[in-house]
Amino acid sequence: MELYEEIKTMAGVGPKKAHALVRLSVREIGDLLYLFPRTYEDRRNVIQIENLWNEECALVRAQVVLIAKGGGFGRKRNLKLLVQDESGSMEVLFFHSAYLERAFQQGEYYSFFGKAQCKNGKKQMLHPDFEKWTGDESQEKILPVYPLVKGLSQKDLRKWTARVLLQVKRLNEYIPEETLGRNRLCGLHYALQNIHYPDDPQKVKEARFRFVFEELFLLQTGLLMMKNRVNSSENGISFSAKADMKDFTDSFPYPLTGAQKRVLEEIRADMESPKVMNRLVQGDVGSGKTAVAAAALYKAARSGYQAVLMAPTEILARQHFTGLSEQFAPFGLRTGFLSGSLPAKEKRLTLEQLAKGEIDVLVGTHAVIQEDVVFARLGLVITDEQHRFGVKQRGILTEKGENPDVLVMTATPIPRTLAMTLYGDLDISIIDEMPPGRQQIITRAVNASGRESAYQFILRQVQEGRQAYIVAPLIEESMELSARSAQGVYEELTAKFPDQRSALLHGAMKQKDKDRIMEEFYEGKTSILVSTVVIEVGINVPNATVILIENAERFGLAQLHQLRGRVGRGKEQSYCILITEGQTEVAKKRAEIMKQSNDGFVIAEKDLELRGPGEFFGMRQHGVPELRIADLVKHVKILQKVKAEAEIILSEDPTLSEKKNELLRQKIEKTFENVENPML
Ligand code: ADP
Ligand code: MG
């Protein structure tokens, strides 16, 4: 057994269990070591039966005096034991567990761990954990309680972690000795042993402290290294100061907002300096990021370089291409388009023109990073809605030029607190102002019984000449998932409103059909677009004023906000209707947040509060590895220590290339392996 081998290669772990383990982020055998217990069961304190409290989780050690087969038939028979210690007796019950009969022998001693029920002087335990008592002291221990997912049992996990811990000596310490010393951290082997199978609660504390520190330390050092790497390269392009973006932005049908101007100024300064630009532009949905990107593309092209804009979906890429080619044409700039579904002949032509420098601005999907795409003089790379791209993809694109400037645009807000803590003074521009005249989108949340009137509302909007989106989580009806599907909604809709022109759009359709459907919706030929979340990012149809989202409970708040951003893009009052199945407390709170706020940052912060930072979903999306044990809010004090430590280490060895830091560097690389950090 090797720690780096896939978990399914471990004895006793079949495909089903391996699958379940992945949900706990256990992919390799060694990952089991980092599956930290949620809490512990203290089995050292044996409680006398007489002293059991109702509802108390306790360990009882007692002799089986009677084994009674209870009611029920066959394998489903119940099993009832009468057990006793010096103080008294209690019943132990197992329902439908005839197979356990053979596990017990009359007269023998067993440990029972479970929740006690004490009523009318009668004591009972239902389905306790049990173990034969051998008189061996080592059975009196503190046992880990792991987080569970369907298909795994506590017993499984305990067995496996215990087994893997036997291999732990093969792991080498990756935190440098000085760091351990300066911060009074315990060593790796000790920490692993004691976070899983401590022999005393004090040791759990030591172990937890080490891992909280470690997790934040790897994170902080990794982020700092990236930042240093980005900021240190001075051999980038200095774009021409003569290529004035104002010539271009003056051609817009609207004046730029103050925020757009400020961000463009930051971009201008970066582009004109020899430093390689690596800037993240954050702006809420509808804040006008495209205009900012367009101006940057213009400046690059005007300076004699080629520029590329990459979008995560074909629909969005096409939309950008259509808009930009119109805007650039009057300035004599040539725009090209590239996507996977382009006919071979067209593609070849575009590639030729690109290599010859006959295209100034290339717009496309991830097709622009294919090997055969060669630029003559690539100077600027912009990715729109960056969280849809992996680190690698962005890297490949940058390599197609010589240190091109990079701009990353996203509507996914990194909550302010998180950004401050983690990124410090990294290059982030924020468009924190909406174009004027935007109306607040009115949001309503209803359950299924409100669906009918919601549809009638849509009908009235459409009759007034507006357009509408209806979004459902699934493409087609599914046996397993009880959620609405775009296909189903579309069928209902066409039956209900046969006079309205509606269309269906989803990811599994042919590109040609998707293009046609989007085209017709842009042109207003269709009024209602029923779709999956393929319309989530970037789509801009200002005449659309209402979006109805089915099974809103299945979407994250940030995603709901993105979807809602498809409307409210024109002058008309716009509406968002959330239909939620099942009304849990959390669901109600989520709906309330969506109703009260139209601000992506506020929503992200509230989301953080609601879920609790420990399980802040989508950390990965924010370019930060998921935290397993540390908590950015609870552990701020430790984070301060960590920051100081990371700075010391990196000031001595900025790239961690010294021998003594080699294992640390490897560990950091592994930590960030699958993370999409916008600044990487
Ligand atoms: P996002 O930031 O979500 O990508 P877009 O760039 O798609 O937003 O812009 C949303 C809409 O706002 C577009 O219709 C765009 O033309 C318009 N817009 C952008 N900037 C301004 C502005 N300064 N004044 C008025 N409208 C603007
Ligand atoms: Mg956009």
Side-chain angles (χ1 to χ4, degrees), residues 289-290 316 320 384-385 409 538 569:
K289 293 185 290 294
T290 315
L316 185 55
H320 282 325
D384 192 14
E385 306 297 350
M409 305 204 294
R569 295 183 154 248

Side-chain angles (χ1 to χ4, degrees), residues 313 315 471 505-508 514 531-537 539 563:
T313 64
I315 295 173
V471 179
L505 182 74
H506 59 69
K514 281 196 266 189
S531 102
T532 55
V533 289
V534 289
I535 58 137
E536 178 192 350
V537 288
I539 301 302
L563 285 167

